[in-house]
Amino acid sequence: MRTFDDEDTGTDRAAELLLRRMMLADTRHAATADEMAECATAALALGQRDAARALFALAFLQRGFAPAQLRQQAELAQWTALWDLRRPERMQDAAPASMLDQAIGELTGLIGTVTLPTDPVARADLALTEGLPAALDRIVLEDCPRLFMAMRTPQPSGELGALLDMLATDALGFARIDLTQYVDVPTPRLLVLYAFRGLQDFLRAHHELAFVPGSPDLLHAVARLSPTGLGAYLRNVRHVVRDGADISGLIRLADAESRADAVLPRWAAILAVGLDQDLRLGLVDEMADRGEPEPLWIMLKAVERTLGVRDEMVMLWRLRDAGADLFDMDLALRAQWLVARQRVHSAYEWVILGDMRVTVGDLRAAENDYAYAAGLSVNDNAILARLDALRAGEIATIAAVGGFGTQRGRQRRRLARAGMLPTDPLPLADMHVG
């Protein structure tokens, strides 16, 4: 394999500079499948076959494994000579009359064939290691292509589960890599780092399908969904439903065994993966009205994994409100703590966090939150009064006993979206805090 230390032609040097520019163009957002494929093509032209194989594997993983995608993979593998892939014998059958019909049929198949774990949702903090894993080259150059091949098999295998378990530690266990810290490394190394970040982004984006509450079988199944139905990795769900209530309706229509009340919370959280923010906000309201904290926890963890990649502040506020309304103060506190960590210069958010800590009796942490807020907003009498009341033991005056989510507030949001907002003013206790 040639290296970039060899004597290059002017064309090779220009191609290398273009490749580096593509990898460093937008280091905050997750690279798309097309961007991965473009970098893979450029790497292949420069003789970096192992890195190109890993990047093509990541692009294939993102696009899914519907029959049309399998055919494209086989054609590209033949052109690049990176794999020996068999083409599917036939293309996908004709779709039903509508996307809704196709979506219901696909969801019926998922509910009927994929068994979801019954273990409680893991609520532990995400402990991320800074830096890079020692086995970085193996993870990128060997495990990425292995993951692609394991996902491409017609049936899920034990190898897929073992790979995901290993990558949960080797890739997800590390903080998302910041490529701006590596702009001076040689291009072959930058390719590996770029691919590693792509693997991290893929696993984080589909965590609810591959890990909790999903499974390798679920990830394997949703990767094969039709572009005329739910879409690979449920990307089309936002085109099938109108609001959060439609998610419940879709599950009930698809539940062939009439177990909707039992399966709805878990499947609602899974379908949320494919929703945009407005629809996810509606689903939070729907699950809160049903008194279902489990999908709210799952959605909170999904938001936490994508912080720094996209703005989720409104979602965090809504989850906080729903948690407080359901008296799940662990959920509400976690959401508000994440808000405060994102709005480190907002005294208002730190005061809310302090009020909530007082509510659960964590007075030492509440005092620290108020003191921090007082440092941000000097001579703010309201914050100083809270500190004085806390130190005097007068916590009843500052505990957050209500005024967060409430069903009436959620009903008004639905009416507002429908253009039918009632004229009577909303009581202060029903107002949204965020």
Side-chain angles (χ1 to χ4, degrees):
M1 178 187 297
R2 64 180 288 277
T3 70
F4 294 105
D5 294 329
D6 299 333
E7 184 176 354
D8 295 319
T9 65
T11 301
D12 286 343
R13 178 56 60 188
E16 179 186 351
L17 292 174
L18 178 61
L19 173 58
R20 294 180 69 91
R21 180 178 179 181
M22 288 191 292
M23 290 189 286
L24 297 169
D26 186 353
T27 58
R28 179 181 177 185
H29 298 97
T32 65
D34 288 346
E35 289 167 344
M36 285 282 183
E38 289 175 2
C39 288
T41 302
L44 185 64
L46 292 169
Q48 300 295 303
R49 293 181 60 82
D50 290 342
R53 182 182 292 107
L55 290 170
F56 274 128
L58 289 167
F60 294 156
L61 283 166
Q62 286 195 44
R63 289 170 176 163
F65 296 85
Q69 297 299 334
L70 293 175
R71 183 176 294 275
Q72 290 179 8
Q73 293 167 13
E75 292 172 352
L76 194 143
Q78 182 178 14
W79 170 69
T80 61
L82 293 173
W83 288 278
D84 181 15
L85 302 181
R86 178 179 298 179
R87 296 189 184 189
E89 295 180 359
R90 59 187 178 89
M91 296 296 288
Q92 186 177 7
D93 293 333
S98 71
M99 178 180 285
L100 179 60
D101 291 336
Q102 178 80 352
I104 292 172
E106 290 179 343
L107 186 55
T108 298
L110 288 175
I111 294 175
T113 59
V114 177
T115 301
L116 300 181
T118 57
D119 297 336
V121 177
R123 299 186 180 183
D125 294 349
L126 297 176
L128 300 178
T129 304
E130 297 292 335
L132 299 171
L136 178 65
D137 288 339
R138 187 215 73 212
I139 295 167
V140 171
L141 302 179
E142 298 178 22
D143 292 344
C144 281
R146 284 177 60 204
L147 180 61
F148 159 63
M149 292 301 294
M151 286 287 288
R152 198 177 192 275
T153 57
Q155 299 296 326
S157 63
E159 182 184 12
L160 176 58
L163 265 173
L164 290 173
D165 286 343
M166 180 174 61
L167 291 173
T169 300
D170 292 351
L172 282 181
F174 285 79
R176 186 176 187 265
I177 185 172
D178 181 3
L179 290 179
T180 62
Q181 304 299 313
Y182 300 94
V183 293
D184 295 329
V185 302
T187 301
R189 189 64 174 170
L190 186 60
L191 279 166
V192 172
L193 296 170
Y194 178 76
F196 181 67
R197 192 195 65 175
L199 176 63
Q200 288 183 308
D201 288 339
F202 173 80
L203 294 174
R204 282 194 172 89
H206 303 305
H207 189 279
E208 283 62 49
L209 306 173
F211 304 101
V212 178
S215 66
D217 290 355
L218 178 62
L219 181 68
H220 188 274
V222 298
R224 283 161 168 70
L225 297 178
S226 166
T228 59
L230 292 175
Y233 306 112
L234 306 172
R235 283 193 286 260
N236 284 352
V237 175
R238 64 185 185 274
H239 302 310
V240 177
V241 300
R242 299 163 299 177
D243 54 32
D246 278 355
I247 292 289
S248 300
L250 185 65
I251 294 170
R252 291 184 184 281
L253 287 171
D255 176 29
E257 299 182 17
S258 300
R259 299 173 299 140
D261 287 337
V263 304
L264 190 149
R266 192 67 63 88
W267 280 101
I270 289 171
L271 292 178
V273 172
L275 300 179
D276 56 26
Q277 179 170 267
D278 287 344
L279 289 171
R280 283 186 295 134
L281 292 172
L283 183 58
V284 171
D285 288 345
E286 178 73 12
M287 292 298 103
D289 283 350
R290 291 178 55 87
E292 298 284 0
E294 183 180 4
L296 302 179
W297 270 104
I298 295 170
M299 285 189 275
L300 177 62
K301 287 300 179 183
V303 168
E304 188 170 354
R305 277 182 288 272
T306 58
L307 288 177
V309 179
R310 60 187 183 188
D311 184 2
E312 295 279 18
M313 198 59 58
V314 178
M315 188 69 175
L316 287 172
W317 284 329
R318 191 68 60 85
L319 286 165
R320 174 203 65 193
D321 294 353
D325 190 27
L326 296 178
F327 300 100
D328 188 339
M329 293 306 294
D330 288 340
L331 173 65
L333 267 170
R334 184 67 184 176
Q336 182 58 29
W337 180 81
L338 291 170
V339 169
R341 290 293 298 271
Q342 295 296 302
R343 297 281 180 92
V344 292
H345 300 300
S346 172
Y348 176 71
E349 299 296 355
W350 285 93
V351 168
I352 293 177
L353 181 60
D355 290 352
M356 297 177 71
R357 290 197 199 275
V358 170
T359 305
V360 299
D362 192 354
L363 304 186
R364 184 182 297 275
E367 183 175 359
N368 291 336
D369 294 334
Y370 291 147
Y372 183 81
L376 294 173
S377 184
V378 181
N379 297 325
D380 188 314
N381 291 331
I383 299 175
L384 296 176
R386 274 175 162 79
L387 269 173
D388 292 341
L390 179 62
R391 289 164 179 166
E394 300 172 357
I395 63 174
T397 62
I398 52 178
V401 295
F404 284 91
T406 76
Q407 279 198 356
R408 190 176 182 198
R410 291 192 289 274
Q411 290 167 0
R412 286 178 63 89
R413 283 197 291 269
R414 291 193 185 92
L415 291 171
R417 286 195 292 269
M420 298 182 294
L421 188 67
T423 57
D424 58 304
L426 184 67
L428 183 62
D430 289 334
M431 292 182 67
H432 175 70
V433 178

